[in-house]
Amino acid sequence: GPAFIVDRQKPTGGEIIDSHALYVDVQRAWRRMDDLAAPTRGYATLVEIGAGVPGVSSRNFGRVVARFAGWHPIDRDDDLSMRLEGGVVIASSRKGVPSTLLFRTGGDQTVRGYAFNSLGLREGDATLPGRYYALASVEATHWFREALGGAVFVDAGNAADKPTDLEPALGYGVGLRVRTPIGPLRLDVAYGARAHGVRVHFSVGLAF
């Protein structure tokens, strides 16, 4: 639905940027899964298309985001999952587009091994959002018991202001999985290759 967004960015060492937009969007989802809370087979796709309304937004722009997740059982005790995401803000410049409608990535449900929203444009000491983002993840899980499993994973992603600047930041690690009535509980230990550090991540439920 429509939302009016007012935004001010004041990055350390950077210029102050004010923006606003009357943003209108539509979303469409396609799902085919064996279990809505904890799938092991099937897929889910979500597409969002939106725009800043001309005349009441500081810049005219369009916005498209697509997300895909798939699950495939290997055998009785092992399964494989993957996730692909991407987004673009269609505008000649990021200036004038509210930062909440631009993109950063990194964190528990995007690129593990990095702090939340720490991947994007570097300006001074700040990480700013960009007009493009992309990420991919592959994960294999072995179930030791019906509700308890272990996983290995590789994530890659980044955000940038040009598609050619989307250099993937890699994160990989291992995790514990517990099936619960509200979805899988995930406790992960991940190494961020670009950050040169290890982070612990916790999340419950599906990414989207």
Side-chain angles (χ1 to χ4, degrees):
F4 189 73
I5 301 168
V6 178
D7 181 69
R8 165 169 281 198
Q9 293 184 59
K10 192 177 181 181
T12 303
E15 63 176 314
I16 297 174
I17 303 172
D18 291 308
S19 59
H20 61 274
L22 178 59
Y23 183 67
V24 179
D25 71 330
V26 294
Q27 295 185 5
R28 177 70 187 272
W30 297 266
R31 295 184 178 91
R32 180 173 291 182
M33 300 177 284
D34 59 350
D35 188 307
L36 291 178
T40 59
R41 182 191 299 273
Y43 66 88
T45 302
L46 177 67
V47 175
E48 175 193 333
I49 300 174
V53 177
V56 285
S57 302
S58 50
R59 176 179 291 277
N60 298 340
F61 65 92
R63 186 174 185 270
V64 180
V65 177
R67 300 183 176 96
F68 170 84
W71 300 268
H72 178 72
I74 299 171
D75 55 36
R76 188 174 65 90
D77 297 322
D78 300 278
D79 56 62
L80 190 68
S81 64
M82 67 175 298
R83 187 173 77 253
L84 298 170
E85 295 187 21
V88 56
V89 168
I90 304 165
S92 58
S93 169
R94 59 182 297 277
K95 292 183 179 180
V97 179
S99 61
T100 54
L101 298 174
L102 297 166
F103 306 110
R104 288 179 290 184
T105 190
D108 298 345
Q109 295 193 4
T110 56
V111 186
R112 289 162 287 188
Y114 301 87
F116 177 69
N117 276 353
S118 63
L119 296 172
L121 284 72
R122 295 297 299 176
E123 184 174 309
D125 296 327
T127 300
L128 302 183
R131 288 181 294 150
Y132 298 85
Y133 94 104
L135 68 87
S137 176
V138 177
E139 180 170 301
T141 304
H142 175 75
W143 296 97
F144 304 105
R145 299 180 182 177
E146 183 178 352
L148 180 65
V152 295
F153 58 85
V154 178
D155 298 340
N158 213 333
D161 219 30
K162 301 176 184 176
T164 52
D165 291 339
L166 280 172
E167 300 178 0
L170 292 175
Y172 44 87
V174 297
L176 180 71
R177 300 290 178 267
V178 180
R179 287 184 172 126
T180 75
I182 59 172
L185 179 153
R186 296 182 291 270
L187 179 64
D188 295 318
V189 179
Y191 176 76
R194 182 169 296 187
H196 304 292
V198 174
R199 299 187 69 91
V200 176
H201 298 275
F202 176 80
S203 61
V204 180
L206 299 182
F208 68 92

